[in-house]
Amino acid sequence: MPFESTFRPDDPQALQRRDAMLARIAQWRALEDRAAAASARSQPTFERRGQLLPRERIALLLDPGAPWLPLCSLAGYLQDTPDPERSVPGGGMVAGIGFVAGVRCMVVASDSGIEAGAIQPRGLEKILRVQAIALENRLPFIHLVESAGANLMRYEVEGFVLGGGLFRNLARHSAAGLPVITVQHGSGTAGGAYMPGLSDVVILVRGRSRAFLAGPPLLKAATGEVATEEELGGAEMHATVSGLGEHLAEDDREALGLARAVVARTGWQTPTRPVAPPPLFDAEDLLAIMPAHHREPVDLREVMLRVVDGSELLEFKPLYGAATVCVQARIGGHAVGLIANNGPIDVAGANKATHFIQWMCQLGHPIIYLQNTTGYMVGRESEQAGMIKHGSKMIQAVANATVPQITVQCGASFGAGNYGMCGRAYAPRFLFSWPGARTAVMGGEQAARTMQIVAEAGLARKGVALDAPEVQAQLQAQSDAIVQRFDRQADAFFTSGLVLDDGVIDPRDTRAVLAFCLDTVTEAAQRQPNPMQFGVARM
């Protein structure tokens, strides 16, 4: 029997949830605007040099009016400073998937309006993540470079060591037959010089581009040699002497036009997207469906009705393991399977999900996970029924699925439920969070109560009177600290700052984001690059 919506947008509870979600969206947008504003404060300097700001460069590179999917926009939030009023997210770069001359591409731009484009906290994780997305989805990689590199005042050895992965990925990308195109808008020093060095095509800007293993200060300190920036690594030198650059542009605009021309000549234009009927229900309802607190029940089939084509759902085993919802549908014309949670995952739910994942793999349909779970069911009855082995079976299916998997964290993502519902560690193609999502090993209250029980048992063994006021005060202080620690880290903005997702999205955009990602993975499967044993070597 088809599922019928019971959601009432004018219900007082729905209105309260809507207000809470809109407040979270406003907070998230303000953080993104903070990064853009911080970069824009450098506009007078850029204009004096005849340059465009990073976001202006991206806008000129991309096809007007075409979709743009920003990625990891909150990277580094609360990592540069614990003060939420001062933290500037973004990781020192802007990244996303968009269309250049009709070709779907991964685009990364150094945010050189902030600290000259130096990589910010979590910036390395961000670029490694978007490189992985580009490689797995067979996307050309376009890098608009103008970066001071690592901030030596905040030097950390692991950043240097792990940063080599950035260059390894470029080599692998090129060897996979996927174009790597760099527009060198400004400086690239030391490791940054390997960005153009490991690219298939490099576009330089006269008088602005710089690329050298050692700039004049380091060269003088290391060898005593004195040389100008142009002699060491200027645009004209690299275009005429070293051969590092293929094209020499007069300014940023011409350089971006050349980049578009290079991409246009790959012949990789995106095929026509299938026409699909919209949902029958208003996407605005998605603001009011999810509760602000994970303890309140919600039926995620209401979300599905507002995301899938024509609001048509074919539910799999609807009478079995009812708290785990498995549905076949279409999104943007693509056949998909959706798995969601209306409560903890019990034995029947784990078995149903395992069966459904295998069914989708047999059909070749991507799987969408809509997370809202407190985890796998616990208790004597559940343990005796084999929850461990059945939950493990579901995790086995998720880990070894042969179709693309995409995860949206809508609400709670607690405990092993995060794993069984294809959390970050299970390498979904894409993973996004709604602003109210919460991720943790357990809820803060549960963690505090667990530690209180442990502490009380330890004090009792020592003969300490638990009802003594000072003991109660100590236990309460411990509980409060644990709740605060868990709640702070569970917040979607905090986890996104750690690059534990690919970005926060507005619930109303869920269908558009999923359709865009499904187009991307479908196009990747159809695209036939020409891999080589090695990447294109600089000549």
Side-chain angles (χ1 to χ4, degrees):
M1 182 176 179
F3 174 71
E4 295 185 6
S5 176
T6 60
F7 176 76
R8 299 293 175 264
D10 56 353
D11 181 84
Q13 184 186 56
L15 293 173
Q16 186 178 25
R17 291 177 176 180
R18 175 187 173 86
D19 289 344
M21 184 63 79
L22 285 173
R24 289 289 287 175
I25 291 172
Q27 183 183 355
W28 157 51
R29 292 301 191 191
L31 290 172
E32 292 186 323
D33 290 345
R34 184 186 298 173
S39 182
R41 283 195 286 271
S42 298
Q43 185 163 10
T45 300
F46 276 69
E47 288 181 346
R48 190 166 56 251
R49 298 189 307 218
Q51 291 186 293
L52 299 170
L53 284 167
R55 286 164 180 78
E56 294 174 328
R57 292 167 181 168
I58 291 175
L60 274 177
L61 177 70
L62 296 173
D63 296 348
W68 163 253
L69 179 63
L71 296 170
C72 308
S73 65
L74 294 188
Y77 177 59
L78 297 180
Q79 304 305 303
D80 53 344
T81 171
D83 184 354
E85 300 303 318
R86 293 174 47 240
S87 181
V88 178
M93 64 193 72
V94 182
I97 301 173
F99 292 88
V100 179
V103 180
R104 191 186 304 266
C105 299
M106 178 65 74
V107 177
V108 178
S110 309
D111 199 346
S112 46
I114 301 174
E115 293 189 13
I119 296 177
Q120 305 293 320
R122 300 292 166 175
L124 176 59
E125 289 93 330
K126 176 173 177 173
I127 194 167
L128 293 176
R129 172 58 187 157
V130 300
Q131 284 182 324
I133 291 174
L135 182 58
E136 188 170 26
N137 292 286
R138 297 179 176 177
L139 299 172
F141 188 86
I142 305 176
H143 201 171
L144 311 182
V145 178
E146 184 175 31
S147 174
N151 187 329
L152 297 182
M153 298 299 292
R154 294 198 299 260
Y155 169 75
E156 294 179 344
V157 68
E158 62 266 32
F160 155 65
V161 174
L162 299 177
L166 189 163
F167 309 121
R168 174 178 180 269
N169 289 341
L170 292 176
R172 294 178 63 229
H173 206 86
S174 179
L178 305 170
V180 178
I181 301 166
T182 288
V183 181
Q184 193 78 27
H185 291 278
S187 292
T189 306
Y194 286 106
M195 183 61 64
L198 288 161
S199 299
D200 301 324
V201 175
V202 176
I203 300 164
L204 304 169
V205 179
R206 191 189 303 275
R208 296 305 321 166
S209 299
R210 298 283 187 273
F212 26 56
L213 297 180
L218 177 57
L219 180 68
K220 185 175 181 179
T223 69
E225 182 181 351
V226 176
T228 67
E229 287 193 343
E230 179 59 38
E231 290 171 330
L232 280 176
E236 290 186 58
M237 188 281 287
H238 281 310
T240 61
V241 179
S242 78
L244 181 67
E246 279 66 57
H247 302 279
L248 180 62
E250 295 302 318
D251 57 21
D252 282 351
R253 291 179 182 274
E254 184 182 357
L256 295 166
L258 285 167
R260 288 181 54 81
V262 170
V263 174
R265 284 159 179 76
T266 63
W268 285 24
Q269 279 64 28
T270 298
T272 304
R273 178 179 173 179
V275 177
L280 303 180
F281 298 89
D282 194 345
E284 287 289 322
D285 295 344
L286 294 173
L287 293 171
I289 288 175
M290 291 302 300
H293 199 289
H294 64 269
R295 288 176 177 168
E296 298 176 29
V298 62
D299 192 336
L300 281 193
R301 287 174 294 188
E302 297 283 6
V303 174
M304 294 179 184
L305 287 177
R306 290 155 179 85
V307 169
V308 307
D309 296 355
S311 299
E312 295 182 2
L313 310 179
L314 176 61
E315 192 163 353
F316 183 81
K317 293 191 179 194
L319 304 179
Y320 179 79
T324 300
V325 180
C326 300
V327 165
Q328 288 181 258
R330 287 183 175 272
I331 297 177
H334 301 283
V336 298
L338 297 103
I339 303 177
N341 316 111
N342 287 343
I345 305 170
D346 58 15
V347 167
N351 278 311
K352 176 165 77 170
T354 301
H355 185 174
F356 186 70
I357 291 167
Q358 293 175 337
W359 173 227
M360 291 302 98
C361 290
Q362 186 178 34
L363 296 178
H365 294 174
I367 302 171
I368 312 294
Y369 297 85
L370 303 178
Q371 288 192 5
N372 183 41
T373 181
T374 52
Y376 286 94
M377 186 69 77
V378 297
R380 182 185 304 162
E381 181 180 343
S382 179
E383 296 285 10
Q384 291 180 356
M387 188 71 261
I388 293 174
K389 69 178 183 181
H390 295 298
S392 298
K393 183 165 55 183
M394 178 177 172
I395 289 172
Q396 284 267 11
V398 172
N400 294 293
T402 55
V403 294
Q405 301 181 99
I406 302 171
T407 301
V408 180
Q409 295 184 174
C410 301
S413 180
F414 290 166
N418 175 276
Y419 306 158
M421 289 293 291
C422 203
R424 174 61 109 199
Y426 288 77
R429 288 286 188 101
F430 296 93
L431 188 153
F432 300 99
S433 298
W434 281 9
R438 317 255 324 152
T439 304
V441 66
M442 63 182 74
E445 297 87 352
Q446 289 77 22
R449 181 58 185 149
T450 299
M451 293 309 299
Q452 184 177 348
I453 292 171
V454 172
E456 288 175 348
L459 291 171
R461 285 194 298 270
K462 296 176 182 178
V464 176
L466 297 179
D467 56 355
E470 62 274 15
V471 173
Q472 286 297 309
Q474 178 185 346
L475 291 173
Q476 186 60 51
Q478 174 185 279
S479 294
D480 292 345
I482 291 173
V483 170
Q484 184 180 16
R485 181 178 180 84
F486 269 70
D487 285 352
R488 178 174 180 268
Q489 294 191 60
D491 187 89
F493 299 163
F494 187 91
T495 53
S496 196
L498 293 172
V499 199
L500 296 178
D501 61 24
D502 297 323
V504 173
I505 62 171
D506 188 321
R508 294 168 291 189
D509 294 334
T510 303
R511 171 177 167 82
V513 169
L514 288 175
F516 186 96
C517 292
L518 289 165
D519 287 344
T520 301
V521 301
T522 300
E523 188 178 323
Q526 296 170 348
R527 182 168 282 169
Q528 298 296 323
N530 298 304
M532 302 176 289
Q533 185 177 3
F534 298 98
V536 174
R538 306 296 320 159
M539 297 298 181

mmCIF file with all atom_site columns, all heavy atoms in Angstrom, residues 21 28 52 249:
data_model
loop_
_atom_site.group_PDB
_atom_site.id
_atom_site.type_symbol
_atom_site.label_atom_id
_atom_site.label_alt_id
_atom_site.label_comp_id
_atom_site.label_asym_id
_atom_site.label_entity_id
_atom_site.label_seq_id
_atom_site.pdbx_PDB_ins_code
_atom_site.Cartn_x
_atom_site.Cartn_y
_atom_site.Cartn_z
_atom_site.occupancy
_atom_site.B_iso_or_equiv
_atom_site.pdbx_formal_charge
_atom_site.auth_seq_id
_atom_site.auth_comp_id
_atom_site.auth_asym_id
_atom_site.auth_atom_id
_atom_site.pdbx_PDB_model_num
ATOM 1  N N   . MET A 1 21  ? 15.159 25.275 12.174  1.00 0.00 ? 21  MET A N   1
ATOM 2  C CA  . MET A 1 21  ? 15.992 24.961 11.010  1.00 0.00 ? 21  MET A CA  1
ATOM 3  C C   . MET A 1 21  ? 16.424 26.223 10.277  1.00 0.00 ? 21  MET A C   1
ATOM 4  O O   . MET A 1 21  ? 17.587 26.350 9.849   1.00 0.00 ? 21  MET A O   1
ATOM 5  C CB  . MET A 1 21  ? 15.249 24.025 10.056  1.00 0.00 ? 21  MET A CB  1
ATOM 6  C CG  . MET A 1 21  ? 16.078 23.570 8.857   1.00 0.00 ? 21  MET A CG  1
ATOM 7  S SD  . MET A 1 21  ? 17.527 22.582 9.316   1.00 0.00 ? 21  MET A SD  1
ATOM 8  C CE  . MET A 1 21  ? 16.734 20.984 9.621   1.00 0.00 ? 21  MET A CE  1
ATOM 9  N N   . TRP A 1 28  ? 24.692 29.104 9.388   1.00 0.00 ? 28  TRP A N   1
ATOM 10 C CA  . TRP A 1 28  ? 25.620 28.489 8.431   1.00 0.00 ? 28  TRP A CA  1
ATOM 11 C C   . TRP A 1 28  ? 25.960 29.448 7.293   1.00 0.00 ? 28  TRP A C   1
ATOM 12 O O   . TRP A 1 28  ? 27.133 29.620 6.935   1.00 0.00 ? 28  TRP A O   1
ATOM 13 C CB  . TRP A 1 28  ? 24.989 27.192 7.910   1.00 0.00 ? 28  TRP A CB  1
ATOM 14 C CG  . TRP A 1 28  ? 25.494 26.706 6.594   1.00 0.00 ? 28  TRP A CG  1
ATOM 15 C CD1 . TRP A 1 28  ? 26.787 26.525 6.217   1.00 0.00 ? 28  TRP A CD1 1
ATOM 16 C CD2 . TRP A 1 28  ? 24.692 26.328 5.466   1.00 0.00 ? 28  TRP A CD2 1
ATOM 17 N NE1 . TRP A 1 28  ? 26.845 26.046 4.922   1.00 0.00 ? 28  TRP A NE1 1
ATOM 18 C CE2 . TRP A 1 28  ? 25.575 25.911 4.443   1.00 0.00 ? 28  TRP A CE2 1
ATOM 19 C CE3 . TRP A 1 28  ? 23.319 26.267 5.226   1.00 0.00 ? 28  TRP A CE3 1
ATOM 20 C CZ2 . TRP A 1 28  ? 25.120 25.476 3.202   1.00 0.00 ? 28  TRP A CZ2 1
ATOM 21 C CZ3 . TRP A 1 28  ? 22.867 25.819 3.987   1.00 0.00 ? 28  TRP A CZ3 1
ATOM 22 C CH2 . TRP A 1 28  ? 23.768 25.441 3.001   1.00 0.00 ? 28  TRP A CH2 1
ATOM 23 N N   . LEU A 1 52  ? 41.842 39.716 -10.278 1.00 0.00 ? 52  LEU A N   1
ATOM 24 C CA  . LEU A 1 52  ? 40.495 39.405 -9.819  1.00 0.00 ? 52  LEU A CA  1
ATOM 25 C C   . LEU A 1 52  ? 40.573 38.673 -8.490  1.00 0.00 ? 52  LEU A C   1
ATOM 26 O O   . LEU A 1 52  ? 41.516 37.924 -8.237  1.00 0.00 ? 52  LEU A O   1
ATOM 27 C CB  . LEU A 1 52  ? 39.779 38.517 -10.838 1.00 0.00 ? 52  LEU A CB  1
ATOM 28 C CG  . LEU A 1 52  ? 39.584 39.092 -12.241 1.00 0.00 ? 52  LEU A CG  1
ATOM 29 C CD1 . LEU A 1 52  ? 39.088 38.001 -13.179 1.00 0.00 ? 52  LEU A CD1 1
ATOM 30 C CD2 . LEU A 1 52  ? 38.603 40.255 -12.212 1.00 0.00 ? 52  LEU A CD2 1
ATOM 31 N N   . ALA A 1 249 ? 49.234 34.394 -20.547 1.00 0.00 ? 249 ALA A N   1
ATOM 32 C CA  . ALA A 1 249 ? 48.137 35.359 -20.635 1.00 0.00 ? 249 ALA A CA  1
ATOM 33 C C   . ALA A 1 249 ? 48.586 36.715 -20.115 1.00 0.00 ? 249 ALA A C   1
ATOM 34 O O   . ALA A 1 249 ? 49.531 36.814 -19.326 1.00 0.00 ? 249 ALA A O   1
ATOM 35 C CB  . ALA A 1 249 ? 46.940 34.866 -19.814 1.00 0.00 ? 249 ALA A CB  1
#
